[in-house]
Amino acid sequence: MTGPLNIRILATAQALPRRVVSTAEAAAWCGIDPHIAERRTGVRERRWLSEGETALTLGARAAREALQVAGLAPNDVDVLLNASGSQLQPIPDGAALLACELGLRGAATYSLHGTCLSFLLALHHAALLVHTGQARRVLIVSSEAGSVGLNPAQAESALLIGDGAAAVLVGEAERPDQGVEAMRLETYPEGADYTRIRGGGSLLPPGHPDVTPLDFTFDMRGLRVLKLASQVVPGFLERLRPGLSVGLPGIDRVIPHQASQAGLDLMRRYGWPAERVEVTLPTLGNVIAASLPLTLHQAMTEGRARVGETLLLVGTGAGLSVGGLILRL
């Protein structure tokens, strides 16, 4: 990429479920000591869906708020991107369902699915659309309801996952240096079985003779994920921008995916000062693809990420995939 893909973030918003679930409550469900659970996960509380709430209603709520902040109506949006790791249903695409909720008619709507890195892919895609003049305004929605697929026998994931939604509205830049400076994605498929939900697709449909209810729940081998990530991330960071594996050259603030406490601790090896790394894990948990935009929303609305600064959005996803995007606000 030569020069930035010129875009500007017009607005961000979040929508969280009403129900706050403490780690003590989640640990009791899993049969784990609450003090051990909080120490291992770094999560004090998370949000889970309550009656009347779905990932669709949360996503639509976040989208409406982002549009309101920007002073725009739904039909001012040219493209709606659904960037969620958990699907609402196989068909139609989740973006069409969101468009129906919003009353958005005639716009292009589709999904970009990269599990926990879905928002990263969607932000880069939105930048391409706006920079090349194919769209003026792109609305990205990441909405997750991971709690519906948790298995209490798999405590390491059941204690991590939270629900929530975030929306980010992208438009034309105001300055020539504003926008996406670099983006990179790498996949290491030896980690494909480390994080998965096996059931529900054509490989293991509901009527398959070997299918069980557990095939529709989240299955993660966290230690294997962490080991593989520790091996491949330093080289990835250097290919994204030289020097990132030992410091933060030209970066004002890091917006990481909130994979786990162990994943966040791994960043200390790269020489990234803790005060420049945004963290939402203790109060939201791992909100799958919504973690990145929720953490970005927090940093921007609370004044720690300001216009003119450069952000590093980075994380890992099932696959095992590693992604990073450098954004100048």
Side-chain angles (χ1 to χ4, degrees):
M1 186 187 300
T2 58
L5 296 173
N6 294 120
I7 60 159
R8 175 168 58 104
I9 293 181
L10 304 178
T12 66
Q14 69 176 24
L16 300 176
R18 295 184 299 272
R19 182 184 175 194
V20 178
V21 180
S22 68
T23 291
E25 180 182 348
W29 180 56
C30 296
I32 301 293
D33 180 275
H35 301 291
I36 294 175
E38 185 170 331
R39 186 171 68 249
R40 287 181 178 174
T41 63
V43 182
R44 296 194 303 272
E45 62 185 37
R46 76 285 290 141
R47 304 294 183 100
W48 283 353
L49 295 180
S50 58
E51 186 177 357
E53 295 176 325
T54 66
L56 180 58
T57 61
L58 290 179
R61 199 172 94 207
R64 290 190 192 99
E65 184 172 331
L67 289 168
Q68 184 177 11
V69 169
L72 298 173
N75 285 327
D76 292 320
V77 173
D78 301 307
V79 179
L80 170 64
L81 299 177
N82 173 37
S84 307
S86 55
Q87 296 184 19
L88 296 169
Q89 62 188 44
I91 296 175
D93 182 73
L97 299 178
L98 281 166
C100 185
E101 285 286 310
L102 295 172
L104 177 59
R105 194 166 184 270
T109 71
Y110 48 98
S111 289
L112 288 167
H113 181 47
T115 62
C116 293
L117 296 176
S118 298
F119 174 76
L120 206 67
L121 299 177
L123 182 57
H124 183 241
H125 184 74
L128 288 168
L129 292 174
V130 173
H131 181 79
T132 56
Q134 298 178 69
R136 289 186 60 210
R137 302 182 187 97
V138 179
L139 179 60
I140 305 169
V141 179
S142 297
S143 187
E144 302 289 6
S147 66
V148 303
L150 295 179
N151 177 4
Q154 286 221 358
E156 67 173 336
S157 56
L159 293 169
L160 272 176
I161 301 298
D163 299 336
V168 175
L169 186 63
V170 173
E172 296 167 315
E174 293 181 319
R175 310 186 317 272
D177 66 338
Q178 193 172 33
V180 176
E181 295 184 359
M183 192 275 186
R184 190 173 185 90
L185 178 76
E186 296 177 2
T187 298
Y188 297 87
E190 61 267 37
D193 287 340
Y194 297 168
T195 310
R196 63 186 185 176
I197 298 175
R198 296 181 66 234
S202 61
L203 292 179
L204 200 64
H208 193 283
D210 298 329
V211 77
T212 72
L214 288 180
D215 290 317
F216 297 90
T217 62
F218 189 62
D219 176 37
M220 183 176 72
R221 305 175 190 181
L223 289 178
R224 293 189 181 185
V225 172
L226 189 65
K227 182 178 179 180
L228 180 56
S230 67
Q231 293 169 353
V232 302
V233 168
F236 164 83
L237 291 171
E238 289 300 311
R239 289 184 286 274
L240 178 62
R241 172 175 284 181
L244 278 179
S245 69
V246 293
L248 290 173
I251 302 296
D252 296 297
R253 180 154 290 270
V254 180
I255 311 293
H257 170 51
Q258 310 290 304
S260 65
Q261 186 61 54
L264 293 174
D265 290 344
L266 195 61
M267 296 178 186
R268 297 177 186 173
R269 300 184 186 181
Y270 311 138
W272 297 354
E275 64 271 15
R276 291 165 65 185
V277 178
E278 196 74 12
V279 176
T280 55
L281 183 73
T283 55
L284 295 179
N286 178 340
V287 198
I288 317 176
S291 274
L292 273 169
L294 283 169
T295 306
L296 175 65
H297 170 75
Q298 172 180 284
M300 294 186 67
T301 55
E302 295 180 8
R304 289 184 298 280
R306 296 179 289 273
V307 172
E309 294 185 334
T310 300
L311 310 181
L312 169 63
L313 284 72
V314 65
T316 58
L320 173 89
S321 294
V322 187
L325 183 145
I326 298 174
L327 175 70
R328 188 168 180 83
L329 294 177

